Amino acid sequence: MSVQERKERERAERERLIVATARELAEQQGWDAVTTRRLAERIEYSQPVLYSHFRGKREIIGAVALQGAAELAAAVRAATAAADGPRARVYALARAYLDFAERNPAVYDAIFQLDGGLAYAQEDTPEVLKDAFASLLEPLGGVAGEGVAPELFTEVFWACLHGVATLTRTGRLLPEDTDRRVRMLVDRLAVY
């Protein structure tokens, strides 16, 4: 291994450590607790080393969002692949999405609530985010109904899931009724 390859590997490992530490700290104490000073202390590198990887917290949030979007897409695809039939796939998608949001609130916020400097629904949207949307579109596109644009239907269904996730987490909706809400979405919005 050349010196250059070793340096690149070490740099990538430091970047992974920064992102993992930010994510862990955010999940434990919220995003307000994630500062470059605290991250530098936790990973035992100086703040200038952190800034050599990320210009600031915004970029770190963006990195967590990209990582989380890939995980969300994988969770949705795994859940829908295991389901039999369109209705079961849509239900599995909804449950996987809401379960991800519940298990990873800080990551969910990084993806959908916080400014991570990422472009959404634009030409320059990162491929990881496009793929996360595609993971929703794949099972939903076929149940949009005649004359309904699959992308638009997916956006509406996704917005409903986001609302359920957010309102449940903030105590505006009772968590014990989540499954009933999901079944209503699956039964009322999709055409089988």
Side-chain angles (χ1 to χ4, degrees), residues 23-34 38 42:
R23 183 175 172 162
E24 178 184 319
L25 188 56
E27 291 293 2
Q28 291 171 353
Q29 300 176 31
W31 279 104
D32 287 343
V34 179
R38 289 185 85 184
R42 283 211 174 186

Side-chain angles (χ1 to χ4, degrees), residues 87-158:
R87 178 174 271 124
R89 278 191 290 282
V90 173
Y91 180 80
L93 174 153
R95 285 307 326 179
Y97 183 96
L98 294 173
D99 291 346
F100 180 88
E102 183 181 355
R103 282 192 321 274
N104 305 283
V107 173
Y108 188 83
D109 285 350
I111 301 169
F112 298 116
Q113 307 277 77
L114 302 174
D115 179 10
L118 303 172
Y120 287 81
Q122 298 174 25
E123 202 168 300
D124 61 338
T125 297
E127 288 303 315
V128 173
L129 297 178
K130 289 178 182 178
D131 185 61
F133 183 76
S135 75
L136 302 176
L137 178 62
E138 290 157 7
L140 291 172
V143 297
E146 191 172 323
V148 177
E151 292 83 4
L152 187 60
F153 177 78
T154 300
E155 290 172 352
V156 170
F157 198 93
W158 169 30

Side-chain angles (χ1 to χ4, degrees), residues 26-192:
E27 291 293 2
Q28 291 171 353
Q29 300 176 31
W31 279 104
D32 287 343
V34 179
T35 64
T36 54
R37 170 177 275 168
R38 289 185 85 184
L39 286 174
E41 289 171 2
R42 283 211 174 186
I43 64 173
E44 298 177 345
Y45 283 104
S46 67
Q47 282 184 284
V49 169
L50 241 80
Y51 286 116
S52 74
H53 290 273
F54 299 100
R55 284 182 282 197
K57 182 176 176 176
R58 181 178 187 220
E59 283 190 5
I60 294 169
I61 290 169
V64 170
L66 292 175
Q67 186 182 73
E71 292 170 11
L72 175 59
V76 166
R77 285 194 173 105
T80 57
D84 186 30
R87 178 174 271 124
R89 278 191 290 282
V90 173
Y91 180 80
L93 174 153
R95 285 307 326 179
Y97 183 96
L98 294 173
D99 291 346
F100 180 88
E102 183 181 355
R103 282 192 321 274
N104 305 283
V107 173
Y108 188 83
D109 285 350
I111 301 169
F112 298 116
Q113 307 277 77
L114 302 174
D115 179 10
L118 303 172
Y120 287 81
Q122 298 174 25
E123 202 168 300
D124 61 338
T125 297
E127 288 303 315
V128 173
L129 297 178
K130 289 178 182 178
D131 185 61
F133 183 76
S135 75
L136 302 176
L137 178 62
E138 290 157 7
L140 291 172
V143 297
E146 191 172 323
V148 177
E151 292 83 4
L152 187 60
F153 177 78
T154 300
E155 290 172 352
V156 170
F157 198 93
W158 169 30
C160 291
L161 290 176
H162 177 70
V164 170
T166 303
L167 292 170
T168 302
R169 188 167 116 206
T170 57
R172 270 81 172 174
L173 296 177
L174 296 173
E176 56 268 20
D177 291 332
T178 297
D179 198 58
R180 289 178 47 216
R181 289 184 193 96
V182 169
R183 293 216 179 272
M184 186 180 297
L185 275 174
V186 170
D187 292 340
R188 302 281 191 257
L189 287 183
V191 177
Y192 303 101

